[in-house]
Amino acid sequence: MRIPLLLMFFALTLGKGFAQVGGQSAYQFLNIVSSPIQDALGGRVITSTGDVNQSLLNPSMISAKLNNNLGVNYGNYFADISFGTAAYGYSWGEKNKTIVAGVTYIGYGDFEGTDEFGQKTGTFTGSETALTVGYAYELPIKGLTAGANTKIISSVLDVYNSFGAAIDLATTYKKSDSTALYTLALRNIGTQFTTYAGLREPLPFEVVFGISKKLENAPVRWHLNFQNLQKWRSTYSNDAISSEKDYSKTGFFQNALHHINIGTEIFPERIITLRLGYNFKRSFELSTPNVKGFAGLSTGFGVRVKRFRFDFSYSRYTTSGNTSLFGAQFNF
């Protein structure tokens, strides 16, 4: 139990010097889920196994089991926003060294431009892309793996563009005689090489700690993830949704819940897998008073047929908005 406690200690201390959350940094698309599996389990889960797309968020999950695995995912977000990821794993050598290369893309659709007088100037678009290469290494301590991602980032918003780079550092611990898994990730450590308009902005740095465990006497695996540990008070006040909530006076227990995502997989290693998740922060920030919209709830399923797996997720955001993601993984 010593190593899991050390990972949790580092998660709580390493992020004290950082404070980026939503709306305070560039390249926010880096914090969108990379597969329907993560989405169905509550969002940005870093403890999912057997998913080549997981390495885009947590490189320490890379292993030889991902050799010749290709994962592609696509989803429509709100309005005309489209989002997709793809990842491929490759192993070589006697020790089965493995890398995973992937891409993350988001397109914001078409916008109608106007000048300061309200006169139409035409349409413009926006999109962002990140190319990722990750590698993991087994450390001398049995059951402990470390991994790193390198990301090249491009962002084009109308006539403004930015170019940057980032790395992810992660470690995972799993005892050979246990179904429990503990993992820590430091995500989006990097900088902008070129800025949009002369102002250099920080990247959306995040400290994440996750635990998962498969029950011994039931076909169930639960996931518990602690996100945005670099900042204790991570709520975002949006008065346009609800002016009845006082975000500045949230107590200790509520602040703690805002860092937690929980998820459950039923029949995780069978032909059909059912998934259910809950995001406390999303529920608090996007729920509407006196209306049961089930904000923060997500669900999904996976179907495995030989070397092919199809995954689907559905997530509730507001009473008028939700997202669905589709994914396919091939084991060649």
Side-chain angles (χ1 to χ4, degrees):
M1 197 63 185
R2 183 179 302 172
I3 293 180
L5 289 176
L6 284 174
L7 292 179
M8 187 63 179
F9 171 77
F10 286 131
L12 294 174
T13 56
L14 287 175
K16 283 188 176 180
F18 302 87
Q20 290 88 4
V21 292
Q24 300 177 357
S25 58
Y27 310 145
Q28 282 291 326
F29 79 106
L30 296 175
N31 282 337
I32 299 178
V33 296
S34 62
S35 79
I37 296 177
Q38 299 162 19
D39 190 42
L41 294 174
R44 295 211 306 279
V45 170
I46 63 171
T47 50
S48 176
T49 60
D51 179 15
V52 67
N53 304 282
Q54 177 69 91
S55 62
L56 298 179
L57 296 183
N58 183 1
S60 64
M61 300 296 283
I62 297 174
S63 70
K65 295 180 180 179
L66 300 180
N67 182 39
N68 283 333
N69 276 227
L70 171 65
V72 291
N73 309 280
Y74 175 80
N76 272 324
Y77 269 59
F78 306 102
D80 293 328
I81 300 175
S82 59
F83 173 77
T85 64
Y88 178 75
Y90 177 74
S91 299
W92 76 95
E94 295 180 358
K95 295 185 178 181
N96 288 327
K97 297 178 181 179
T98 305
I99 63 170
V100 171
V103 59
T104 302
Y105 171 83
I106 187 167
Y108 298 108
D110 296 326
F111 297 86
E112 188 174 272
T114 62
D115 59 20
E116 63 270 28
F117 304 106
Q119 300 298 317
K120 294 181 180 181
T121 59
T123 60
F124 63 93
T125 63
S127 64
E128 297 181 286
T129 305
L131 300 178
T132 304
V133 176
Y135 178 77
Y137 178 77
E138 293 185 7
L139 298 175
I141 301 176
K142 189 174 182 181
L144 192 62
T145 303
N149 279 338
T150 299
K151 292 183 276 194
I152 303 298
I153 308 160
S154 173
S155 176
V156 178
L157 306 174
D158 192 15
V159 297
Y160 304 97
N161 59 77
S162 176
F163 182 71
I167 62 171
D168 301 329
L169 302 176
T171 183
T172 295
Y173 177 70
K174 185 180 184 303
K175 293 181 64 177
S176 58
D177 59 347
S178 173
T179 60
L181 180 149
Y182 308 86
T183 186
L184 168 67
L186 310 180
R187 302 187 56 252
N188 305 322
I189 305 169
T191 186
Q192 288 180 301
F193 295 142
T194 61
T195 64
Y196 295 105
L199 176 64
R200 192 170 301 278
E201 302 171 82
L203 270 63
F205 173 78
E206 181 183 28
V207 179
V208 190
F209 179 74
I211 308 170
S212 74
K213 181 177 175 61
K214 184 179 181 298
L215 302 183
E216 295 182 2
N217 300 315
V220 174
R221 174 177 284 276
W222 56 262
H223 301 261
L224 178 62
N225 282 252
F226 302 87
Q227 300 183 343
N228 284 313
L229 293 176
Q230 76 282 356
K231 185 174 183 180
W232 171 241
R233 190 179 295 276
S234 63
T235 52
Y236 174 73
S237 180
N238 189 346
D239 296 334
I241 295 178
S242 172
S243 59
E244 298 181 18
K245 297 178 182 179
D246 189 347
Y247 290 83
S248 64
K249 297 182 180 180
T250 53
F252 176 87
F253 182 70
Q254 196 167 51
N255 273 318
L257 285 179
H258 293 165
H259 294 275
I260 296 176
N261 293 352
I262 57 174
T264 301
E265 291 182 283
I266 304 174
F267 310 117
E269 299 173 356
R270 304 289 179 85
I271 295 177
I272 298 178
T273 300
L274 305 178
R275 304 182 180 102
L276 183 67
Y278 193 75
N279 187 308
F280 288 94
K281 185 173 185 287
R282 186 191 304 164
S283 173
F284 177 77
E285 292 182 347
L286 299 182
S287 60
T288 304
N290 304 318
V291 178
K292 293 183 179 180
F294 299 101
L297 185 67
S298 57
T299 186
F301 66 87
V303 179
R304 186 192 305 271
V305 180
K306 294 184 179 180
R307 293 178 175 269
F308 170 78
R309 189 183 70 216
F310 172 79
D311 295 295
F312 171 79
S313 67
Y314 173 85
S315 297
R316 292 289 294 176
Y317 282 78
T318 67
T319 54
S320 59
N322 56 74
T323 63
S324 296
L325 298 181
F326 304 86
Q329 183 161 317
F330 307 87
N331 184 0
F332 298 108

